Amino acid sequence: MAHISAHAHRKDEHVFLAEKNYPQTQNNDFDQVRFIHQSLPEIAVDEVDLTTNFAGQKIPFPFYINAMTGGSPRTQRLNQQLATLAKRFSLPMATGSQSVALKEPTTAASFQIVRQANPHGMILANLGADATVTQAQHAIAMLKADALQIHLNLPQEIVMPEGQRRFYWLTNLAKLKTALPVPVIVKEVGFGMSQETLQQLRSIGIEHVDLGGRGGTNFVTIENQRRRFKEFNYLENWGQSTVESLLESRAMQADLNIYASGGVRQPLDIIKALALGAQAVGVSGTILHSLQKNGLDATSQLLQAWCQQLKLLMALLGCRQVKALTHCQLIFSPELMNYIHQRHIK
Ligand code: FNR
């Protein structure tokens, strides 16, 4: 077997553990939100337009393949399959963090395969919040990327023995945003965001945010399982769910382009996130699970069905455009109402 480095091995472990733990949370907050059924919507399915805006581009479906992987031979194959799906359905796609490719240039091919497989698609580069401008420029050039995701993953770093221990990120984010020629999306990795975080991001001029909430892939669980003594079991519920994060973002949805991800299992979750104000919705774990369990063709059929079902669900709700979903009344569970009151969300 070819030698792979500790960094590359970690990427394989993430994929293995994400799949092993799927679905990570039994109680997903999307189930705490309901629509009101209307029997006479006066609409035809053909009238539904699923286009939306994502990081400065118009996209045909309101969801994208969110950051997952790259860095090893095995993840190169996964990236190729993900890119094939992205191309087939014109979905934007982010690669996993490219910091491994900056440290070990021989692994760059496992990311570049995404551009090779999808030469004209919308591709997002991905790095951590401590990346320098030069590193970010390299990551973007590596993929001819259309945008750059910068991930915020504090709880993950805390649980990793080899994780960072200094968390001064804000000034660097401002620097990246100013210096780079493509849109910068600041994203969480499954712990969600708060009003306060969003205000900080807005204050430095960030325009695009992926809330990356709790409810799906959980990097405290994953990193905990990589530790010998799994000391951080008690942190597994840390963070805001995707629904809570969308509620947190409410007051800022006019000033920030909000995207949502974390725990999306099927098209109704996408529709709920859009109704809560997301402009587009990211999916990682569910697509990874389908690919690993059922293969490329079955996952392609699944995504085909999602694209059709999104249209049907919009018709069910009487909405011709994605934006119109934000006018649907939502009914929240008592637990979410409690959250809304305690966080003074209007
Ligand atoms: C991720 N995610 C991720 N995010 C990121 O910004 N950089 C990365 O390198 C990775 N790596 C990664 C590996 C694997 C195997 C998974 C499943 C996920 C996080 C991902 O983009 C997303 O924010 C979370 O997974 C939550 O969404 P889901 O999985 O619940 O849909």
Side-chain angles (χ1 to χ4, degrees):
M1 200 175 81
H3 169 76
I4 66 168
S5 71
H7 293 300
H9 179 60
R10 186 168 153 252
K11 302 297 165 183
D12 285 348
E13 277 191 317
H14 282 168
V15 169
F16 173 76
L17 291 171
E19 170 58 13
K20 181 173 159 238
N21 291 304
Y22 185 89
Q24 281 223 338
T25 318
Q26 291 311 323
N27 62 345
N28 183 309
D29 257 9
F30 283 114
D31 296 330
Q32 309 300 314
V33 179
R34 291 171 51 202
F35 288 103
I36 299 293
H37 170 61
Q38 308 288 359
S39 309
L40 296 166
E42 295 298 299
I43 193 170
V45 174
D46 278 353
E47 293 161 21
V48 174
D49 170 12
L50 289 174
T51 58
T52 188
N53 291 314
F54 179 62
Q57 292 196 30
K58 191 170 170 180
I59 59 171
F61 299 106
F63 69 104
Y64 54 97
I65 301 176
N66 219 349
M68 277 186 268
T69 205
S72 68
R74 185 157 170 257
T75 56
Q76 176 163 342
R77 278 193 298 280
L78 264 177
N79 264 345
Q80 183 175 27
Q81 292 185 314
L82 291 167
T84 303
L85 293 167
K87 181 175 180 215
R88 204 166 284 170
F89 299 100
S90 302
L91 304 176
M93 170 181 168
T95 69
S97 176
Q98 293 161 266
S99 64
V100 58
L102 299 177
K103 287 188 207 109
E104 300 169 16
T106 54
T107 66
S110 64
F111 295 92
Q112 285 163 326
I113 190 82
V114 168
R115 182 49 88 194
Q116 280 159 19
N118 188 10
H120 308 296
M122 184 175 187
I123 290 171
L124 282 57
N126 187 294
L127 282 177
D130 57 347
T132 64
V133 169
T134 311
Q135 287 172 329
Q137 284 165 338
H138 281 156
I140 293 163
M142 194 187 293
L143 303 174
K144 297 195 191 72
D146 300 278
L148 171 70
Q149 288 184 329
I150 294 289
H151 63 260
L152 307 180
N153 64 340
L154 179 48
Q156 181 182 11
E157 297 290 342
I158 295 282
V159 175
M160 282 164 61
E162 73 273 30
Q164 288 183 37
R165 292 295 178 260
R166 285 177 59 81
F167 308 108
Y168 291 104
W169 286 336
L170 202 56
T171 309
N172 196 47
L173 292 176
K175 215 184 280 178
L176 290 169
K177 151 80 176 103
T178 313
L180 296 174
V182 297
V184 171
I185 304 170
V186 177
K187 91 177 263 287
E188 254 292 349
V189 301
F191 304 103
M193 287 199 199
S194 67
Q195 299 169 50
E196 294 79 7
T197 300
L198 291 168
Q199 265 153 11
Q200 285 174 299
L201 293 175
R202 191 175 58 174
S203 76
I204 59 162
I206 296 295
E207 294 165 40
H208 303 278
V209 180
D210 179 337
L211 300 169
R214 182 167 55 76
T217 306
N218 184 331
F219 270 94
V220 165
T221 304
I222 288 176
E223 295 298 349
N224 214 20
Q225 290 174 351
R226 292 181 59 239
R227 293 183 72 115
R228 203 156 146 224
F229 298 113
K230 306 185 178 23
E231 295 95 325
F232 282 103
N233 273 329
Y234 58 82
L235 270 187
E236 287 187 3
N237 285 324
W238 191 266
Q240 287 84 255
S241 71
T242 303
V243 170
E244 288 167 349
S245 302
L246 280 160
L247 292 166
E248 294 275 342
S249 78
R250 239 185 207 176
M252 268 158 291
Q253 288 176 359
D255 304 324
L256 286 170
N257 297 293
I258 296 288
Y259 315 117
S261 66
V264 171
R265 303 158 295 183
Q266 27 72 358
L268 185 57
D269 291 342
I270 295 177
I271 293 284
K272 286 178 180 176
L274 298 171
L276 283 158
Q279 291 181 28
V281 178
V283 189
S284 294
T286 300
I287 294 178
L288 179 68
H289 174 67
S290 173
L291 260 182
Q292 306 257 91
K293 188 159 175 268
N294 304 321
L296 184 62
D297 288 347
T299 307
S300 184
Q301 282 164 25
L302 179 80
L303 294 182
Q304 172 102 42
W306 280 29
C307 293
Q308 286 161 354
Q309 287 171 26
L310 284 169
K311 262 194 160 189
L312 296 170
L313 293 174
M314 296 266 293
L316 181 62
L317 288 160
C319 292
R320 286 173 184 80
Q321 265 101 32
V322 168
K323 264 257 167 302
L325 285 165
T326 58
H327 301 302
C328 294
Q329 192 194 349
L330 295 166
I331 301 296
F332 298 117
S333 69
E335 209 172 318
L336 276 179
M337 280 313 288
N338 186 341
Y339 185 93
I340 288 167
H341 288 140
Q342 290 196 42
R343 290 291 289 161
H344 307 289
I345 291 163
K346 298 204 183 61

